[in-house]
Each structure stands twice: as C-alpha cells, then as structure tokens.
Amino acid sequence: MDEVFKALADGSRRRLLDSLNSRNGQSLRELCTGLEMTRQSVSKHLAVLEAANLVTTLWRGREKLHYLNAEPINAIADRWINQYDLGRVHALADLKRALEQEPMGHHEFVYTTFINTTPERLWQALTDPAFTSRYWGVTFESDWQVGSEVVWVMPKGVRVADPAQVVLEADPYRRLSYTWHSFTPEFAKAYDQDPAEVARLAEEPRTKVSFEIEPHGKVVKLTVVHDGFAPGSELLDSISGGWSELLSSLKSLLETGEPLPQPEPAEASPANG
C-alpha cells in the first residue's frame, strides 16, 4: 500500500480527488478547469492516482472519464486499520466515506479491484452458484447466453424471475453484463425490507451491471460498472457501499478460499438492493 500513501501525501492529488468527489466521471479537460496546474501536471498526478488504484478510468466514445475508486482505502481499513493511531483511523474513515458516498449529479457506480486469480476462475466466481452463494448470498439460474433470462435465487428460497432480467453481453473470461433484478414483494420479505420502500425502488428505471475482466500481469483487473440510474436514485444510494463490501468478499474468497463474514439477511442489501 506504499503507493496509496504516496499518492495521498500530495496536496495537488488530494485536490483532484476532492474534485472527483464533488463530481465523479470527469474528463482531463474538466479536471484541469479551476486548478492552477498545467494539463501536463494534472496528467502526471492522475497517472500516480491510477497507479495507486485511487482513480479508475472508463472510455465513453473518444473521451476518457475519471472516477474515484474506494478499493484501496477499503483494503487499508479492512486489513491494517488497527495498526494506526486514532487520528489516522479517523482520517482513513473519513476518506473511505468520501470515496463511497455518491457525489451529486453522478448516476453510475464504478469500482476497480485487482485479484490474484485467473480470468477463468473469476468468470466462474461471477456465474457459478457454488461461488456466488458463498460471497453474495444469492445464486443465479441462467445459461449466460445473450438474451437469456437471469433468475435470482435469494435467501429463504425466494426466486425473482422477470423477462426483463436478461444477459446483455457475455464474452467468457472478458466481459459480462446483465440487467438488474426486479423489486417484488417477495424480495422485500426475503430481506425484511419495508414493502413501501421496495415499491418505490420498483418504480425506478431498470439498471444494468457490467463486469470487465482484464489480465494485469500476474493478477486480474476487475472493473464493475452499475449504471442506468435516474437522478436522485434511492437504489444508487443503497448499492454503492454494498458493492464495495461484496467485491471485497469476492476477492477474499478467490485469494484465501474464504469470503468475508456475511451480514445478517436483514442487513444484506449490499448489492442485492
């Protein structure tokens, strides 16, 4: 984690993170606006932040957009936080909340992590019920072909099936994308959630999640993009922190053989919400 602390030690780089926290998904041109730095300096600072995995990037057409990434701060908090004095713990906790909090005017969740595994095994972990049940607490019924339905099997045996829950893209070991599940009364019961709250979620536009799998030296880079949210989405608020927890558990399972301890079903809206 030396590169993370090095990246955070520079005030200019912290200003770039502040800018992304206020409005995520900015281009280089947008990030340069209002900063007393040359375009070249901003590019160099962004390269350091990307190398530390504090910033992840996505291409939208010809434009490269930059996003905050909470994964390295999660790793520090999860693994080492007890080694730091109280002041540093508070600083890390504040930064962790800032990275996971959804900025105003931003309508997608983006998260990048690096996992010591293979693309084949990561694909299996995303699709095989034997894996998903361990770190996600749900399983999927699908043949993972484009256009095929994806049935969610949740706690208490609740099945959420809907013709609109389908595979959008499936390139084994490289990319997987599907539409998000429906919000039904059965879903509310499975997670002991307020039926009225679930009904409000059901009125929001259908979202989708995409998993990008890329070899990265001896490890695999996984980028998760959950998008299609309406402005002010309740769903986006509910899934943002949950995805971080879920992907940390996935990483733990693949690297150590054990997922992180799962919360009780009443709390488990991580990435199920």
Side-chain angles (χ1 to χ4, degrees):
M1 290 294 174
D2 288 349
E3 66 275 15
V4 176
F5 291 109
K6 177 182 176 182
L8 294 174
D10 184 271
S12 295
R13 290 193 281 272
R14 292 197 299 272
R15 285 196 293 276
L16 286 169
L17 293 176
D18 287 340
S19 179
L20 289 174
N21 189 50
S22 64
R23 187 168 65 85
N24 221 350
Q26 295 187 57
S27 66
L28 175 60
R29 173 182 53 80
E30 291 171 319
L31 284 167
C32 289
T33 303
L35 293 176
E36 296 180 357
M37 288 188 280
T38 65
R39 185 184 181 93
Q40 183 179 19
S41 295
V42 172
S43 295
K44 288 182 177 179
H45 285 307
L46 286 173
V48 174
L49 292 169
E50 285 187 58
N53 202 25
L54 286 162
V55 166
T56 191
T57 60
L58 292 176
W59 286 94
R60 291 287 185 261
R62 297 182 178 180
E63 197 167 47
K64 184 180 182 181
L65 302 182
H66 300 79
Y67 296 84
L68 281 172
N69 187 42
E71 194 275 339
I73 303 304
N74 286 337
I76 292 171
D78 291 342
R79 301 176 189 179
W80 296 348
I81 199 164
N82 290 332
Q83 298 181 25
Y84 293 90
D85 61 41
L86 187 59
R88 289 180 178 176
V89 168
H90 287 166
L92 287 171
D94 289 344
L95 181 56
K96 184 175 186 290
R97 283 193 295 271
L99 288 172
E100 291 183 348
Q101 181 181 359
E102 200 57 38
M104 294 179 62
H106 176 53
H107 311 310
E108 60 186 342
F109 173 84
V110 181
Y111 191 98
T112 296
T113 186
F114 295 87
I115 305 175
N116 185 14
T117 189
T118 64
E120 293 80 8
R121 191 161 176 78
L122 179 52
W123 179 272
Q124 185 181 15
L126 294 171
T127 58
D128 188 336
F131 273 91
T132 62
S133 62
R134 294 193 65 193
Y135 70 90
W136 202 323
V138 303
T139 60
F140 301 99
E141 295 177 1
S142 181
D143 62 9
W144 302 110
Q145 301 298 310
V146 173
S148 293
E149 190 172 342
V150 180
V151 177
W152 290 59
V153 183
M154 296 178 169
K156 304 178 184 178
V158 171
R159 298 175 80 256
V160 178
D162 187 320
Q165 292 174 190
V166 296
V167 179
L168 301 173
E169 298 179 69
D171 185 355
Y173 321 132
R174 298 180 64 181
R175 180 174 173 83
L176 177 67
S177 179
Y178 48 83
T179 52
W180 204 236
H181 67 75
S182 300
F183 292 91
T184 64
E186 293 77 15
F187 170 86
K189 186 176 181 179
Y191 287 100
D192 297 323
Q193 291 190 327
D194 181 356
E197 177 186 351
V198 172
R200 289 197 302 273
L201 294 177
E203 294 176 354
E204 294 193 12
R206 177 82 60 172
T207 61
K208 67 180 177 72
V209 62
S210 301
F211 303 88
E212 293 277 359
I213 302 170
E214 304 172 66
H216 189 84
K218 296 182 179 181
V219 301
V220 177
K221 177 182 179 182
L222 173 65
T223 299
V224 178
V225 180
H226 194 157
D227 59 8
F229 299 96
S233 169
E234 284 188 46
L235 177 58
L236 180 54
D237 288 340
S238 71
I239 63 93
S240 295
W243 268 121
S244 302
E245 179 183 327
L246 188 148
L247 294 169
S248 293
S249 191
L250 167 63
K251 177 180 172 72
S252 176
L253 176 61
L254 287 171
E255 294 185 342
T256 72
E258 293 295 332
L260 300 178
Q262 289 192 14
E264 294 300 316
E267 303 170 354
S269 52
N272 300 319

